[in-house]
Amino acid sequence: MAGGGFVDGGTLQRAHLYEYKITGYFIFACIVAALGGSLFGYDLGVSGGVTSMDDFLKDFFPKVYRRKQKHLHETDYCKYDNQLLTLFTSSLYFAALVSTFGASHVTRKKGRKASIIVGSISFFLGAVLNASAVNISMLIIGRLLLGVGIGFGNQAVPLYLSEMAPAKVRGAVNQLFQLTTVLGILVANLINYGTEKIHPWGWRLSLGLATVPASLMFIGGVFLPETPNSLVEQGRLEEGRKVLEKIRGTTKVDAEFADLVDASKAAQAIQHPFKNLLKRKNRPQLIIGALGIPAFQQLTGNNSILFYAPVIFQSLGFGSGAALYSSVITSGALVVGALISMSLVDKFGRRAFFLEAGIEMFCYMVAVAITLALKFGQGVVLPKGIGIFLVIILCLFVLGFGRSWGPLGWLVPSEIFPLETRSAGQSIVVCVNMLFTALIAQCFLVSLCHLRYGIFLLFAGLIAIMSSFIFFLLPETKQVPIEETYLLWQNHWFWKKIVGNGEDPELELKPGTHA
């Protein structure tokens, strides 16, 4: 079977001996850490709304404002085609791309908690600068600081959640990151809907309120425990065991702690974790987790819709208020999708959500393209019925993404890397994700202008390709202990030809490590 290589519990080293209870301490730590997603989500939601506000455009992008007013009564694919305007959005993600390598060092040497705190501080400073901006330079510098915050937060939070969670509920716990992300998007769209009516400084309020999730993340982060995996990796074994006992609610953690110690010994044998990612034994994680999934997550086209939902709806003939209202609906669909995924992903598995939603998303993109090809782009406002149809289709598309590529795009990479390359691997994940996020943000509006409805056919084709990628190459990871996912590659129909028994003659492991 394509994508096979499932491992039953009996073949795992010590997994059947793991014990845990869901404790209040564990729940607190995960909720606080997951607030890192709200930074990413709030920015995703707020950027598109602000760039469609007249007051903001008049202050910083008067040419775009004049073009918008000139075409106020007609639909036009190219109304918002301005590279400086899209640079306002994409500059954040270029900064996140670069900063994630610094975040990798901090995460590995100082711990996941340190990266979370650094990210919250940088994001707070960026929000203050953006809200007080009087020229484009201040805007861009503020966006760069926001990007550093997101680079650190996105590097550390998914790792933190996956390492804190017991294997049987790791999917749901890790998806707290996606849930806070989509809640941030929804809150941002609701705020934009209200501030759009506050003239002339409503956009400043939208941007400035980003300080709220940053403050919550910083305050909570001060009280967070470090993950047992990170403490063991730093050589703080006794402290690591105490935290493990506390979050598992039991002193019977010998088996799990032994796996952590073994993984740590393997990690200590690695002097250059980024170089180690290129080893044959880590080829599946590199191709699937570090490169494939984070790139494909952006190429679904969903973030284009989230970035520019108000702009898209205005271009399709909706008024400014109606456009923001429609974007609130789509972000609400994203929240529903995240809740569905959290509830069911540990029951049905990662592959099922990827593949089922992929089929739906392909059909929705084709439907949008056909509708626009027949009814749009002739200088005539779309009929109300067609407009409602497009909103529904886009909501269904976002719902599909919200239960598949959205949360699983962060979950699967965070759970498949061995400890010795985990922080380096997550840096590549964030780097690739931010690179493609920035490229999509920078290129979508100009692509909409030149490809017109064809941009949605392009996304449909990419969704077909990425669904095939999952079908053939990703084994099921549900309920597999994070330190034993390496066994999946050794039993997968394709990857076992690459990794063999998991040993690498170029790498000499210390005694006690997994072979």
Side-chain angles (χ1 to χ4, degrees):
M1 174 182 169
F6 299 88
V7 180
D8 62 51
T11 66
L12 297 178
Q13 303 255 331
R14 302 184 181 98
H16 60 290
L17 300 175
Y18 289 10
E19 295 187 26
Y20 73 93
K21 300 173 185 176
I22 301 298
T23 65
Y25 184 71
F26 165 75
I27 293 172
F28 163 77
C30 290
I31 290 176
V32 170
L35 286 173
S38 65
L39 306 185
F40 189 32
Y42 188 86
D43 184 79
L44 280 173
V46 82
S47 299
V50 166
T51 53
S52 72
M53 292 182 186
D54 288 346
D55 292 323
F56 177 78
L57 293 175
K58 281 188 287 187
D59 286 345
F60 297 100
F61 304 97
K63 289 183 179 179
V64 178
Y65 174 74
R66 288 193 293 270
R67 186 191 304 169
K68 176 183 173 182
Q69 295 306 306
K70 183 178 180 181
H71 297 285
L72 191 60
H73 301 294
E74 65 180 64
T75 54
D76 181 6
Y77 283 107
C78 301
K79 193 181 299 184
Y80 288 89
D81 178 20
N82 181 282
Q83 288 299 293
L84 191 58
L85 178 62
T86 53
L87 181 62
F88 166 75
T89 298
S90 62
S91 58
L92 180 150
Y93 303 100
F94 285 118
L97 183 159
V98 174
S99 68
T100 187
F101 293 103
S104 173
H105 177 78
V106 173
T107 300
R108 190 177 191 214
K109 298 297 184 181
K110 303 297 182 182
R112 287 56 166 149
K113 175 179 173 177
S115 280
I116 290 172
I117 292 174
V118 171
S120 65
I121 294 172
S122 182
F123 197 88
F124 181 92
L125 295 175
V128 171
L129 196 58
N130 266 356
S132 58
V134 294
N135 54 52
I136 291 178
S137 296
M138 289 182 68
L139 278 180
I140 299 301
I141 294 172
R143 295 290 290 174
L144 294 176
L145 287 170
L146 292 173
V148 172
I150 286 178
F152 272 80
N154 286 15
Q155 209 278 345
V157 172
L159 288 186
Y160 187 95
L161 294 173
S162 286
E163 290 180 345
M164 293 289 280
K168 290 186 178 181
V169 295
R170 189 174 63 241
V173 171
N174 183 277
Q175 288 189 54
L176 284 171
F177 177 76
Q178 177 68 9
L179 180 62
T180 57
T181 297
V182 298
L183 285 172
I185 294 170
L186 177 60
V187 169
N189 279 310
L190 289 170
I191 288 172
N192 282 340
Y193 185 66
T195 59
E196 192 263 343
K197 301 176 177 64
I198 303 175
H199 303 287
W201 52 270
W203 63 269
R204 294 187 184 276
L205 182 59
S206 287
L207 296 177
L209 285 175
T211 57
V212 175
S215 299
L216 292 175
M217 183 175 164
F218 174 80
I219 295 171
V222 172
F223 297 99
L224 279 178
E226 186 55 83
T227 70
N229 311 61
S230 179
L231 291 170
V232 171
E233 189 178 21
Q234 296 173 54
R236 298 153 66 184
L237 300 184
E238 188 61 32
E239 190 177 349
R241 184 184 177 94
K242 288 180 180 178
V243 172
L244 185 62
E245 291 177 353
K246 197 168 184 180
I247 62 174
R248 295 292 182 260
T250 177
T251 58
K252 299 176 181 179
V253 296
D254 291 342
E256 186 172 1
F257 187 71
D259 275 348
L260 295 185
V261 172
D262 283 353
S264 178
K265 290 177 181 178
Q268 291 168 13
I270 305 301
Q271 298 299 316
H272 305 287
F274 282 99
K275 182 179 179 180
N276 187 253
L277 279 172
L278 301 176
K279 303 288 186 181
R280 287 178 65 89
K281 68 189 289 286
N282 292 321
R283 199 67 52 80
Q285 296 95 318
L286 175 67
I287 293 174
I288 294 177
L291 301 177
I293 288 178
F296 284 140
Q297 186 191 52
Q298 302 309 314
L299 293 175
T300 58
N302 185 77
N303 273 0
S304 300
I305 294 171
L306 296 180
F307 282 145
Y308 299 115
V311 170
I312 291 172
F313 287 123
Q314 282 198 34
S315 292
L316 297 181
F318 291 75
S320 178
L324 288 171
Y325 184 68
S326 298
S327 66
V328 169
I329 296 175
T330 56
S331 56
L334 202 58
V335 174
V336 173
L339 291 172
I340 292 173
S341 189
M342 284 184 67
S343 302
L344 301 176
V345 73
D346 284 315
K347 179 179 181 181
F348 293 107
R350 286 62 160 150
R351 281 169 49 83
F353 275 88
F354 270 130
L355 297 174
E356 179 275 329
I359 295 171
E360 284 192 35
M361 292 162 67
F362 173 85
C363 295
Y364 296 143
M365 284 290 96
V366 172
V368 171
I370 292 174
T371 302
L372 295 181
L374 296 176
K375 297 292 184 181
F376 182 63
Q378 307 300 319
V380 179
V381 175
L382 285 171
K384 183 177 180 181
I386 297 297
I388 293 174
F389 172 76
L390 285 174
V391 171
I392 292 173
I393 289 296
L394 290 176
C395 281
L396 290 173
F397 175 85
V398 169
L399 181 63
F401 176 88
R403 67 177 185 272
S404 61
W405 282 95
L408 302 184
W410 294 105
L411 167 61
V412 173
S414 74
E415 65 184 2
I416 64 176
F417 289 101
L419 182 62
E420 65 264 24
T421 59
R422 193 169 297 154
S423 60
Q426 186 67 12
S427 286
I428 302 296
V429 171
V430 176
C431 177
V432 172
N433 189 289
M434 292 299 117
L435 174 61
F436 279 84
T437 303
L439 291 175
I440 291 293
Q442 190 67 27
C443 298
F444 176 74
L445 291 181
V446 67
S447 300
L448 180 65
C449 177
H450 294 286
L451 296 179
R452 307 169 80 83
Y453 62 84
I455 187 68
F456 297 100
L457 290 177
L458 174 61
F459 285 135
L462 290 169
I463 290 169
I465 292 171
M466 64 186 71
S467 296
S468 299
F469 176 86
I470 293 296
F471 182 76
F472 289 111
L473 297 181
L474 180 69
E476 183 54 66
T477 57
K478 71 171 182 178
Q479 299 187 9
V480 179
I482 193 170
E483 303 303 346
E484 298 186 350
T485 53
Y486 73 95
L487 293 169
L488 298 175
W489 317 115
Q490 298 173 26
N491 291 275
H492 186 271
W493 72 274
F494 175 77
W495 292 118
K496 66 182 179 182
K497 303 172 187 176
I498 307 295
V499 303
N501 64 358
E503 292 188 3
D504 194 320
E506 302 177 57
L507 182 65
E508 191 174 315
L509 297 179
K510 291 185 177 181
T513 56
H514 291 316

